[in-house]
Structures are given as C-alpha cells and as structure tokens.
Amino acid sequence: MTDKKNADAGEKKSGAAGNFIRNIIDEDLKNNTYRGRVVTRFPPEPNGYLHIGHAKSICLNFGIAGDYKGECHMRFDDTNPSKEETEYVESILEDVKWMGGNWGEHLYYASDYFDKLYAFAVELIRKGKAYVDDLSAEEIREYRGTLTEAGKESPYRNRSAEENLALFEGMKKGEFPDGSRVLRAKIDMASPNIIMRDPTLYRIRKTAHHRTGEKWCIYPMYDFTHCLSDSMEGVTHSICTLEFENNRELYDWVLSTLNVYHPRQIEFARLNLTYTILSKRKLIGLVQGGYVSGWEDPRMPTISGMRRRGYPAGAIRNFCDRIGVARRDSMVDMALLEFSVREYLNRHARRVMAVLNPLRVVIENYPEDSPEDMLECINNPEDPEAGTRTVPFSKVLYIEKEDFMENPPKKFFRLGPGREVRLRYAYFITCTDVIKDEKGEITELRCTYDPATRGGDAPDGRKVKGTLHWVSAAHAVDAEVRLYDYLFNRENPNECEDYKECLHPDSLKVLTDCKLEPCLAQVAPGERFQFERLGYFCADSRDSQPGKPVFNRTVTLRDTWAKMQKKGKA
Ligand code: ATP
Ligand code: MG
C-alpha cells in the first residue's frame, strides 16, 4: 500500500517527499538568503557515460529546480583535457534529457571560464594568496605531512607577488615542461584538513582540449574551478556527494578570499547498488576490455544501458524518490530498482504472448479448414484504456517447453499426458499423445480441444489448474530474445580484488528460436511489453528490425523485493 502511494507521488513530481536538503532550502527561502532564488547545477565530468548514481543526482538537482520554480544548470566540468570527450558530452546531454532534466538556456562548460579563472588566479597571486611552486609532484606529496603530522612549507612559498606573476605567465605561455611547476594556494601547511595544506590550483598539461584546442597548456584543478563556476553562474545550492565534505573548506576559502558571490555547498550520500559497480574508471575498464558490448550494453548500470534494457525513465525517477537523500552511506538493493521498473511497467506495458522455448502442439480435433479464429485478448488489465486486440488461433500452436512434463510431480499444474489446461483467452486442451525423436526428445504434443470453452471458460463450470500462453504456428513471428542476469555474481563487486574476476559468466543468454504473436512483427525500437507469464521485454534499439524483432528482457515478473521485505531483510 505505501509502495503504491509512493510510486504515484513519484510520478507526479520528483522528490515530493521532503529531505534534509529541501529543509535547508526552505530555511534559506525563509531567511531570504539568496533573494528568493533557487539555482542548482548538475556538473558531470565528460570522461564516461552517466550511470544510475548520476541519475540520483539528476533527480535531486533538476527535481529541486522544478519544484521550487528555480533553475538547474547543466555544466560540464571539463578541466581535464583528453581525446574522447565529445562522445561523452553528447551521450551525457542525451541521458539527462531522457531522464527529464531541462536546463533551458543554462548549458555551460567550465572550459568556457578558462580566461576568467586565469584572472582569478592572478588576483590570488596579487593578494599574496597563491604562489608558483617548483617542487616536483613527489616532493609536494612528501611535504604535505600526514593526518597526525603537520606539513612542511615549500622553499618557494615566499616568492614575491611579482615573481609569481611572471612565473605563472610563463607557465601559461608554455615556457616550462609538464609537471615542472604548479600554482598553489597559500593557506596553511599545518591545517588539520590536509586539503587546506596549500592545494594545487593549476598544473601544466601540454595536451589539447576538446573545446579550447591548443589555447591552453595550464589547466585549473577541480577545487578551484568548481566553486568559481558555481559563483559566476549564481548557483545558490551546490549539491555534491559526501567525499567532497573536506573540500568544502577550500570551496569557502577560495570564494571568501576573492570576495565574490558565495553559494552554499551541501553534501549527500552517493548511491551504491548491490551487484553493481558505479565507478567510471571501472566501467571504462569493462568497455575497453570487451567484457560488455559497450557503454550501452543492457547489462551496464549506465543510463543508456538501462534505457536499452527497457527501464523507463519514470521508473528510475520513482526509484530515486524511494531511496531518498541522506547523509549516511548505504547500499541499496538492486531488487528495489527492479521492483520500481516492474511496478511502472505493470501499469504501462501492453500484455502480449510470446513463446521463448517453443514446443509444437497439434490440436487433432481442430478442423483443418477452419475459418480464421480470432480471439479477443485484454491489452492491460491495469489500464482499461489500453483496450483489447485479437490473436489468431489455429490447429498447430507453440507452447513453452517448460509448460509440459511427461511425468509431472504433484505441484506441477501445467500440461501432462491426459491432463487438461487452459490456453489463455482461447480453449481448454487435453494432451493425448507425446511424440519423440530417435533420441527420446519430445518434439511434439498431440492434443484435443473443447470448442465449448472458447474464450477460456467451460460452460459446465469445470475448472482447470493451469493456464498457458501460446502462439499460433502459422502466424508466429520469429524473434531473438536476450535474457540478462546481473553482470556481477557478488553482492558487492567492489570487494573483489579485481572486479573483472567476479563477472557473472551467464549474464547474457541469447534465444534465437522464439515465437511471438503477430502484432509484434512491426514493433518500434524501444517499445516495451509484458510477455505474459515471462516478464517485461523491450525491442532492442540497435538490432530490432521490422519483421525480425530482437527483444531484451527488461525484468522478470518475480518480485524479489517483496519477498525480501517479508523476510525482514529490506
Ligand atoms: P567517478 O568518481 O566514478 O568518476 P564522479 O563522481 O567523478 O564519478 P562526475 O561526473 O564528477 O562523476 O559526477 C557528476 C555528478 O554526479 C556529481 O555531482 C557527483 O556528485 C554525482 N554523482 C556521481 N556518482 C554518484 C553516485 N553514485 N550517487 C550520487 N551522485 C553521484
Ligand atoms: Mg568527479
């Protein structure tokens, strides 16, 4: 009951439930801290595709902007030059849009601020708050000290502003090799917060940037760029994950020292999911190592992978609402994400019949020359507006291999020799004979049907225990269906020494001889259905073609989340 209620709230608007961040914003609005404005931002680094963790951040930032009638800026934190970034930028924009993020005219790139950031750095130098250091990266690390020991000041720390200005300009002009010098903030080498021990602001990197080309050979560091980008854009609440908690002091120091507009940084716990890794570095490893077919592989926890798998954006948003936003790190069960997908598709996906492992059934008393026998089927019992469709019945059918047993145990209520079952929306049939090949494999069943049971009920009131799905052989559409399991076989793959060692060996099973009901011949890529009794399936956006459909199993019908809750595990 509560789940249903939450889900409905989720679909109305994201994050309808309160959280500690919204409490802070409410307080700021009450105190008129930011003159009534609410401006958030979503700032990915374009060094990979977005994943379900980013979806949480998208829902949070764009959700807040939507609910408070504010703005959410889409900003690429692209201070790290590298080759492949354009592909990542495009995929990120597509994924944010698909998730429902609407940035309006507020699309920004940190690289667009390089001139301004340089000017801010010069200002810090003039104020005696930054210096050029000639120590090597290794020496800087040695000088930094430890959690229990204060750091040591660099011998270059007390250069004059003039000398620093000249050296910094030389760095910009490319006069020094990579790694030979950096610009550092002059703060406190004895600070208990190690991040405050003269952090690096700029480094030399003679690498072309995907947007600024060869213009720069020095690049600003994240901590310097991020707060100033927020400030220049007039962001009010800069929401980031907990690992930046210690960086907040530096965020505040830069803005206060430069005496510029000062947004507020707020941290929340990042999403962790069972059977999943959410580190871009590791995801890149899976793609580059060929362990998956690419970033959009339906087993990947990327937004594009989930989209291809058939997860609706609305279901992902509902999931993000359910998990909420807190300051404590936690591991969310994959079963909850699947529950959200199942629950959403239950209401939105049309039911159809498909046989994945076909077994031929011949209805011996069905007339050879019967006129077309079209049976009416309900498209979605959860949605009366979805209406009905008709499905053809005929003398030769396919049922699921698993739905027949020659020597059925007590609890098996499906078909067996001499047994009667219902074919969904059609007739009662009784198995009269089993045909086998020379190896003893069952190749065909012979059955009889009762014409009086058309539509699926017996006028004499007799009951059957099993109802099977089926497809008429003469009308069936041949299809490929891909079944997915978790990509990893460990609940927490981060615990594996090498995450590639705990990849699930059977995470993909391809079935090439599937039989679908005729309406699925012309399915649109990305269209989703419930295959009755089997699960939810989505036409593959790359490989599915008219007349030759390819389906991905999105999720089964088994509600493992409900089971876990019953057991008190969730
Ligand atoms: P990685 O460390 O794997 O490279 P990242 O955090 O550096 O990931 P960014 O592109 O910098 O990735 O992230 C953009 C935004 O998404 C940031 O605000 C970040 O806090 C947020 N984000 C990233 N991962 C998660 C997660 N697992 N849960 C919630 N938010 C996340
Ligand atoms: Mg990052």
Side-chain angles (χ1 to χ4, degrees):
M1 185 66 216
T2 46
D3 278 328
K4 178 94 171 64
K5 229 167 84 195
N6 286 348
D8 289 344
E11 247 168 87
K12 256 183 251 135
K13 204 131 221 197
S14 71
N19 62 48
F20 80 98
I21 297 179
R22 284 163 187 263
N23 296 343
I24 292 174
I25 295 175
D26 289 337
E27 195 63 20
D28 282 336
L29 286 173
K30 208 171 79 195
N31 298 331
N32 204 22
T33 317
Y34 299 102
R35 290 184 285 118
R37 293 178 316 119
V38 175
V39 182
T40 58
R41 84 285 170 272
F42 175 65
E45 190 180 339
N47 61 352
Y49 279 52
L50 297 184
H51 54 59
I52 182 77
H54 294 109
K56 176 178 178 179
S57 180
I58 292 169
C59 289
L60 180 60
N61 283 295
F62 284 96
I64 284 173
D67 292 349
Y68 286 92
K69 308 220 172 344
E71 295 163 10
C72 180
H73 296 183
M74 175 71 220
R75 184 202 310 145
F76 286 99
D77 174 19
D78 57 351
T79 54
N80 205 345
S82 93
K83 286 271 176 309
E84 305 134 326
E85 285 180 344
T86 315
E87 177 195 344
Y88 296 140
V89 166
E90 280 162 15
S91 77
I92 288 170
L93 290 176
E94 185 187 351
D95 290 349
V96 174
K97 239 185 260 169
W98 182 73
M99 280 299 302
N102 177 8
W103 55 83
E105 61 203 19
H106 301 288
L107 172 61
Y108 303 110
Y109 294 82
S111 55
D112 285 347
Y113 304 141
F114 282 171
D115 283 299
K116 287 178 179 149
L117 292 168
Y118 183 80
F120 279 125
V122 166
E123 198 180 328
L124 280 183
I125 295 173
R126 288 219 171 91
K127 289 186 159 167
K129 297 293 186 183
Y131 62 97
V132 173
D133 197 350
D134 300 0
L135 292 184
S136 68
E138 197 172 317
E139 286 166 322
I140 288 179
R141 216 172 303 124
E142 276 166 29
Y143 277 57
R144 189 171 293 135
T146 63
L147 281 172
T148 50
E149 245 175 276
K152 224 167 49 177
E153 294 190 354
S154 161
Y156 306 97
R157 194 174 197 260
N158 293 312
R159 280 175 160 153
S160 68
E162 288 69 38
E163 191 184 356
N164 280 319
L165 285 172
L167 285 171
F168 189 46
E169 197 178 340
M171 280 170 64
K172 181 188 178 199
K173 284 187 175 150
E175 288 167 11
F176 314 118
D178 280 15
S180 60
R181 289 192 157 103
V182 292
L183 183 75
R184 297 178 74 177
K186 192 171 179 177
I187 308 179
D188 177 7
M189 287 309 290
S191 171
N193 181 356
I194 293 184
I195 286 172
M196 297 300 279
R197 295 182 187 170
D198 292 8
T200 300
L201 305 180
Y202 265 91
R203 58 187 170 159
I204 304 171
R205 252 315 197 41
K206 291 188 174 158
T207 306
H209 184 278
H210 75 120
R211 297 191 84 241
T212 59
E214 308 274 339
K215 178 172 175 191
W216 294 90
C217 64
I218 54 170
Y219 290 95
M221 303 298 285
Y222 170 85
D223 282 313
F224 184 63
T225 309
H226 200 80
C227 56
L228 286 166
S229 305
D230 283 349
S231 173
M232 288 186 277
E233 289 176 18
V235 166
T236 56
H237 299 86
S238 179
I239 303 166
C240 61
T241 39
L242 275 181
E243 66 271 23
F244 291 101
E245 191 170 12
N246 287 337
N247 302 59
R248 192 194 328 133
E249 198 177 344
L250 179 53
Y251 185 104
D252 292 336
W253 181 90
V254 172
L255 298 182
S256 306
T257 307
L258 287 166
N259 195 24
V260 291
Y261 164 75
H262 202 143
R264 171 169 186 174
Q265 176 178 309
I266 307 168
E267 307 89 21
F268 71 100
R270 64 195 293 130
L271 170 67
N272 301 298
L273 253 194
T274 58
Y275 298 100
T276 308
I277 52 169
L278 293 180
S279 142
K280 272 192 261 181
R281 185 181 56 78
K282 290 179 181 172
L283 294 177
I284 287 174
L286 292 178
V287 172
Q288 291 181 345
Y291 298 96
V292 292
S293 66
W295 287 99
E296 297 171 287
D297 188 299
R299 291 166 295 180
M300 287 284 271
T302 51
I303 293 179
S304 51
M306 291 183 170
R307 175 169 59 234
R308 186 168 169 199
R309 173 87 168 251
Y311 286 19
I316 299 176
R317 285 195 297 269
N318 288 347
F319 167 74
C320 290
D321 269 350
R322 279 205 174 96
I323 58 175
V325 179
R327 275 189 58 87
R328 198 164 46 91
D329 266 315
S330 68
M331 178 74 90
V332 175
D333 209 290
M334 188 64 161
L336 180 59
L337 175 57
E338 293 181 341
F339 171 84
S340 300
V341 170
R342 197 177 289 121
E343 179 236 26
Y344 187 98
L345 290 174
N346 179 44
R347 279 176 290 140
H348 293 99
R350 265 173 54 196
R351 276 59 169 165
V352 291
M353 290 196 283
V355 175
L356 302 189
N357 294 298
L359 173 60
R360 224 172 107 92
V361 172
V362 177
I363 312 287
E364 295 200 288
N365 61 337
Y366 194 83
E368 218 45 86
D369 51 357
S370 160
E372 264 220 311
D373 189 359
M374 300 296 289
L375 296 158
E376 188 170 46
C377 306
I378 294 166
N379 284 332
N380 186 354
E382 301 290 323
D383 176 9
E385 281 176 26
T388 60
R389 71 185 184 289
T390 56
V391 172
F393 190 85
S394 67
K395 191 177 176 72
V396 183
L397 311 167
Y398 293 114
I399 65 166
E400 213 68 65
K401 267 189 191 136
E402 279 179 13
D403 282 336
F404 176 82
M405 278 183 94
E406 205 172 7
N407 300 297
K410 258 219 158 100
K411 289 242 165 124
F412 187 85
F413 298 125
R414 294 168 263 169
L415 200 56
R419 287 189 175 205
E420 187 171 50
V421 294
R422 173 190 294 111
L423 293 182
R424 183 111 162 110
Y425 296 118
Y427 299 95
F428 285 13
I429 59 164
T430 304
C431 177
T432 52
D433 204 0
V434 181
I435 315 285
K436 296 179 182 174
D437 63 14
E438 58 277 17
K439 282 181 271 162
E441 297 253 1
I442 300 171
T443 53
E444 189 178 297
L445 302 179
R446 296 293 163 95
C447 295
T448 56
Y449 86 124
D450 177 356
T453 56
R454 190 171 192 276
D457 281 306
D460 63 5
R462 89 182 178 273
K463 299 279 180 232
V464 285
K465 286 225 168 111
T467 300
L468 313 184
H469 60 275
W470 53 274
V471 170
S472 160
H475 304 87
V477 177
D478 290 317
E480 178 178 316
V481 174
R482 300 166 183 172
L483 305 180
Y484 302 98
D485 207 326
Y486 294 152
L487 186 52
F488 293 97
N489 54 19
R490 280 275 287 270
E491 191 166 281
N492 184 358
N494 293 306
E495 284 171 358
C496 303
E497 208 149 295
D498 178 355
Y499 64 97
K500 291 178 239 100
E501 299 283 300
C502 53
L503 283 165
H504 198 311
D506 297 318
S507 58
L508 168 61
K509 262 196 216 119
V510 181
L511 305 176
T512 51
D513 184 28
C514 307
K515 307 288 181 183
L516 315 181
E517 70 168 70
C519 74
L520 292 175
Q522 302 299 325
V523 67
E527 217 177 327
R528 309 176 187 97
F529 298 90
Q530 184 193 100
F531 290 179
E532 295 226 21
R533 301 176 64 227
L534 297 174
Y536 294 98
F537 292 77
C538 175
D540 190 73
S541 52
R542 291 207 175 172
D543 303 332
S544 197
Q545 282 171 26
K548 202 77 197 74
V550 176
F551 275 92
N552 297 313
R553 184 171 68 195
T554 307
V555 66
T556 65
L557 295 174
R558 269 190 312 276
D559 187 355
T560 45
W561 178 246
K563 245 189 236 156
M564 288 167 66
Q565 280 183 315
K566 260 198 204 130
K567 277 199 212 144
K569 267 185 81 181

